[in-house]
Amino acid sequence: MITSCVLFQCRQVQPDPLPLFNIVLDSSVLGVQEVSTNNKVPWELMWGPDNTLWYTEQEGRIYRWDPVSGKRKLLLHITDVAGKTTAGLLGMAASAPDPATGRSYLFAAYTFAIKDSIGLKLVRYLVQKDTLVDPKIIAAVSGFRGHYGSRVAISPDHKLYWATGDGAQQGSAQNTADLKGKILRFNLDGSIPADNPVPGSPVWAKGFRNIQGLTFSDSARLYTSEHGDAIDDEVNLIRKDGNFGWSVIEGNADLTDEKAFADSTDAIAPLLAWTPTIAPSGMAFYNDPKIPEWRNSLLLVSLKDRNLRVLRLSKDGHSIVKEKIYLDKMYGRLRAVCVSPEGDIYLSTSNHDWNPYSKPAADDDKIIRITKVDRITAKVLRGKAPETKVSRENAMGLYRVYCASCHKEDGSGSPGTFPSLRTTPLLDQPQQLIDVFLFGKNTKNNPNRMPSFKFLNNEEAAAVLNFIRKGWGNNNSDSITEAAVQERRIMKKSG
Ligand SMILES: [Ca+2]
Ligand SMILES: [Ca+2]
C-alpha cells in the first residue's frame, strides 16, 4: 500500500492488480484485471458522480467501489426488493451534479411484491456523501410474471429513459396504455416532457420483449439490447415513437404475418439479430481515444454466449459494420458493462444468478477491468469473428446452442425451473416429445416456458430429439424420424 494525497486529502492507494490476460488489438495492448471479487450478481455498473464505480447487487444493495483504494462501501440496502429469478434490483443511472444546486440524483429500478404479481418501480434518490436519501417514486408498473427488463439511462440532454420488459404478458408491448414492453421518457423530476410522442404519457417507443442493455452514444443516439424468445436476440437503434415489433415480429420481418404487420405499422428492424440466441445483457457505447480500435463501438456482454462483443458502428451510427468476440467463455455469464471517464472498461460476472451455467468460481462474482497497458506480460488473447453457422451436422452442437442454456449441457436442468431431460417420461413418448419441441409448453403458472422450436427443420429436429433420447446413455433404441416430425407439424395445423 502507498498513500496518495490530493489537496490535503490522503487515501490509501491499492497497487494496480497485474493483468491476468492481455488482449492484443491492431496496435493497442490491453490488460484484463480482476479488481473486485466475492460479489453476488453485480447487475448494474456505472460511473458515479464522485468518480468511483457504483454497482448494484441484484438482491438489493448499492455499492461504491473506489478504484484508488480498491475498497468497496455499501451506500444503500433497499429492503422492499422482491421477486425471484430475473427480478430484483436491476438498472440504475445517476444525473450529473446540477450546476445551480450541486445536487445529483440516482435512479434505480427494482421489482417489488404486489398481491398476485410483481411490480416494477423506478425510484429517485438524492446522492449524499456516503449514502442515498429521500426516495421518490418516479413511476411504478404492475402485472409482471417475468421479463422485467430493465435498464435506466440519462441522455446527454438530461432526460431520464427507462426500458421495461413486457412482463411476460401477451399484448402488453403493443398496447400504448400499458407501460410494459416500452422505453419510457421522463424529466429528472419525474414529470413528463412536453415533447413526448403522446401528451401526458411517458411512452417513447414500444414493441419490446425484454430489454437488457440501454446506452447513449456521444451524439445522443439510444441503443438497446434485447432478449428474444427461442430466436432473434436483438440490438436496436431507438427512434422517437418507434414500434420495434414485438410480440408480432421477432428479429427481421421475414415471415408473411411479420411482413404484413411491418407494412401496416412502420415497425423498425433491428440493427442486428442473433439466432441461435446469445442472451445479450448490458451494453455501453465506447468512443474513448484510449483504445482507438474500439472507438465508435457498442460493447455488449452476454449471459448465454458468455463473452464480450465489440460491435463497431458505421460513421452515422445507423448500422453495425463489424462484430468481434472477446473473453469467450472465460468468466462465465457476463451481466453488465460500463466505461469510465478515463476510457477503462468494467465488466461484471453473473455466475451466482438464478441460471448458472456451471458452478461459480470460489471468488465469483467478479468485476473485471480492461485497460490499456504498455506491453504484454500475460497470456495473449485475440478477438474472433462470430461463428456464421451452427454446426448442424452435429446433434450435440444443436443441443448446445438451442437447449443447454436452460436444460444444461448434461440435460440435468435446474430443479423447479427447467425439467431434467435425462429423466423426463416424454423420452418414451415420441409424439408428445415432438409436440413439446415444435410447439413449446407452458404449464400454468410457470413463468419460464418452453419456447417453440418449429423454426428448425425436420432433420435438425430429429437430430436434437434423438440426441436427448440417446446422448446420455439413456439409450432409447428406436429413432425419431424426419417423417415423424413432419407428421406432427401437419397434425397440429389441421387439428
Ligand atoms: Ca424487435
Ligand atoms: Ca422474423
Side-chain angles (χ1 to χ4, degrees), residues 161-163 182-185 202-205 208 211 222 224 238:
Y161 289 74
W162 184 27
K182 303 293 177 317
I183 290 176
L184 307 174
R185 179 176 183 255
V203 173
W204 182 254
F208 304 100
I211 289 176
L222 179 60
T224 59
I238 300 306

Side-chain angles (χ1 to χ4, degrees), residues 232 249-255 258:
D232 285 321
I249 303 176
E250 298 182 270
N252 291 302
D254 40 16
L255 307 175
E258 293 181 326

Side-chain angles (χ1 to χ4, degrees), residues 79-213:
T79 52
D80 65 330
V81 172
K84 286 186 270 192
T85 64
T86 56
L89 171 56
L90 305 174
M92 67 174 176
S95 63
D98 182 285
T101 61
R103 288 180 165 189
S104 276
Y105 293 99
L106 179 110
F107 300 86
Y110 67 90
T111 53
F112 63 101
I114 309 184
K115 232 176 165 191
D116 304 321
S117 71
I118 292 287
L120 179 66
K121 61 183 165 180
L122 179 60
V123 180
R124 186 184 91 167
Y125 300 87
L126 177 63
V127 177
Q128 293 208 327
K129 189 169 179 291
D130 283 326
T131 185
L132 302 164
V133 298
D134 290 347
K136 172 185 184 281
I137 297 175
I138 300 281
V141 188
S142 60
F144 285 81
R145 291 185 64 237
H147 306 178
Y148 307 98
S150 99
R151 296 277 178 187
V152 186
I154 294 173
S155 59
D157 66 346
H158 312 297
K159 295 285 190 274
L160 174 64
Y161 289 74
W162 184 27
T164 59
D166 74 355
Q169 299 287 13
Q170 189 65 26
S172 64
Q174 289 296 325
N175 176 0
T176 315
D178 191 328
L179 299 188
K180 296 194 283 299
K182 303 293 177 317
I183 290 176
L184 307 174
R185 179 176 183 255
F186 302 91
N187 293 313
L188 296 182
D189 64 2
S191 61
I192 303 214
D195 59 344
N196 270 15
V198 177
S201 164
V203 173
W204 182 254
K206 69 178 173 186
F208 304 100
R209 182 176 179 274
N210 196 5
I211 289 176
Q212 299 286 309

